[in-house]
Amino acid sequence: MEFRTDYPEDYRAGFACFVGRPNTGKSTLTNALVGEKVAITSAKPQTTRHTIRGIVHKDDHQLILVDTPGLHKPRTLLGSRLNDLVASTLGEVDVIGFCLPADEPIGPGDRYIASQLELLDGRTPIVALVTKVDRVPKDKIAEALLAVGELADFADVVPVSAVEDFQVDTVDSVLAAHLPKSPPLYPDGDLTDEPEEKMIAELVREAALEGVRDELPHSLAVQVEEMYPREGRSEDNPLWNVHVNLFVERPSQKAIIIGKGGSRLKAIGSESRQGIERLLGTKVYLDLHVKVAKDWQRDPKQLGRLGFDFNN
């Protein structure tokens, strides 16, 4: 990939951060703006754990999206570290998109986030993104916009539905208007700067989150142990070996992930393999193992080993 050199004089480039309560549509909107799946999505709340940059390329701007975990009242050391991660990100971006779902009333969590954003003292413009408008009647959208407008003094308020591609381009242009004039920051065609291993782990974790108990997402971590091309394969028919470990906190959770006769684990492998093959552009042999790491969310050493050492 090469950097673009024919950009106009008023070209803009910079970083936007999405914040909001868990499960307010941040990851889905990131994927819709980029046009490819770069962030994990799930019906389960609190599924994003890493900042994931999605890069939007347009003729007159380059918008780099930072998708953070949802701000929430932490119950574990992991939860506290995720909140710290959000706070540190807020001070490093050019514009903030505050996601508030149209199908839910404004609650204490939204007011808590609004109070945290007030601490920025206007240094960073904040755009309210009223998400999931496809889930409410049109007359209710107006009510949601009025309620959001009363929450804080936003630079803009934009209704959007990432699922139905309603006003996604408007969100892009509104956020881009707040970016500084700058040459492109990433090569043309790049969609994310995340390592392949992390994206593979996220694809496996997304597949594992579907159809399981509500408490399991908080207890599940996924790591790629190793990945390498299979020897003896021709260049026209390559195959990659990908070995992945899924960590849970209790043996009962291990049984849930594996399923009766291994059926659940097989389904996880089948679903995630499709995304991994699209990502790598080659056929994949996916080897999944489920392991118990007792109370890893509360153990600093295990958090570090599982990739949640945010101090480094």
Side-chain angles (χ1 to χ4, degrees):
M1 297 288 185
E2 295 183 356
F3 278 91
R4 179 180 173 183
T5 57
D6 60 342
Y7 55 87
E9 287 187 11
D10 59 350
Y11 192 89
R12 296 176 181 270
F15 295 83
C17 174
F18 289 157
V19 298
R21 290 183 288 107
N23 201 26
T24 54
K26 299 182 297 295
S27 296
T28 304
L29 184 55
T30 295
N31 291 333
L33 285 162
V34 176
E36 296 283 348
K37 176 174 276 190
V38 294
I40 182 175
T41 60
S42 172
K44 305 296 183 185
Q46 194 54 35
T47 55
T48 302
R49 286 181 178 158
H50 300 278
T51 56
I52 295 179
R53 290 183 171 86
I55 305 167
V56 182
H57 301 270
K58 293 296 176 70
D59 290 340
D60 60 350
H61 69 266
Q62 185 181 82
L63 178 67
I64 300 104
L65 300 165
V66 183
D67 184 34
T68 66
L71 276 168
H72 62 294
K73 186 177 181 180
R75 295 179 297 151
T76 64
L77 178 59
L78 173 61
S80 296
R81 289 190 176 181
L82 292 175
N83 274 1
D84 291 342
L85 179 62
V86 178
S88 64
T89 302
L90 294 180
E92 301 172 352
V93 297
D94 300 297
V95 59
I96 296 169
F98 184 3
C99 294
L100 300 114
D103 62 338
E104 298 177 29
I106 291 174
D110 301 309
R111 296 188 181 91
Y112 168 75
I113 295 170
S115 68
Q116 297 300 301
L117 295 176
E118 284 183 4
L119 300 178
L120 297 173
D121 293 328
R123 295 189 303 273
T124 306
I126 301 167
V127 176
L129 303 174
V130 183
T131 60
K132 305 184 181 182
V133 296
D134 56 289
R135 296 189 178 186
V136 298
K138 289 185 178 180
D139 59 324
K140 296 294 183 182
I141 296 176
E143 292 181 16
L145 293 174
L146 287 172
V148 168
E150 294 174 356
L151 184 62
D153 185 18
F154 296 112
D156 297 280
V157 179
V158 183
V160 60
S161 169
V163 173
E164 295 191 349
D165 195 25
F166 172 71
Q167 295 228 123
V168 173
D169 285 341
T170 301
V171 171
D172 172 55
S173 61
V174 168
L175 294 177
H178 294 287
L179 301 179
K181 291 184 178 179
S182 165
L185 302 175
Y186 284 87
D188 194 31
D190 277 14
L191 297 180
T192 181
D193 65 355
E194 289 297 309
E196 288 179 339
E197 288 87 348
K198 185 179 289 186
M199 294 189 70
I200 289 170
E202 288 291 277
L203 287 168
V204 173
R205 193 161 71 92
E206 178 180 37
L209 290 180
E210 296 304 319
V212 297
R213 297 180 185 178
D214 291 342
E215 72 272 14
L216 192 53
H218 305 283
S219 304
L220 179 65
V222 180
Q223 268 193 333
V224 175
E225 183 177 15
E226 58 180 346
M227 50 185 288
Y228 51 90
R230 177 80 60 88
E231 292 185 2
R233 304 281 294 207
S234 67
E235 292 185 4
D236 296 333
N237 187 30
L239 177 72
W240 274 72
N241 295 317
V242 179
H243 300 273
V244 178
N245 292 324
L246 295 84
F247 294 92
V248 293
E249 294 189 300
R250 300 188 299 274
S252 60
Q253 295 170 338
K254 180 177 180 179
I256 293 172
I257 292 293
I258 293 175
K260 186 175 181 180
S263 59
R264 179 74 197 135
L265 190 62
K266 183 178 180 180
I268 293 169
S270 178
E271 182 176 340
S272 59
R273 186 184 300 108
Q274 297 178 37
I276 295 170
E277 289 182 343
R278 284 195 298 270
L279 175 66
L280 298 180
T282 182
K283 290 292 185 181
V284 165
Y285 169 75
L286 181 61
D287 182 38
L288 302 179
H289 288 275
V290 185
K291 300 183 178 183
V292 176
K294 186 178 179 182
D295 295 330
W296 66 263
Q297 292 187 85
R298 295 170 173 80
D299 185 338
K301 290 184 178 180
Q302 292 199 84
L303 279 173
R305 284 196 293 268
L306 293 176
F308 298 106
D309 188 4
F310 300 127
N311 296 319
N312 294 325

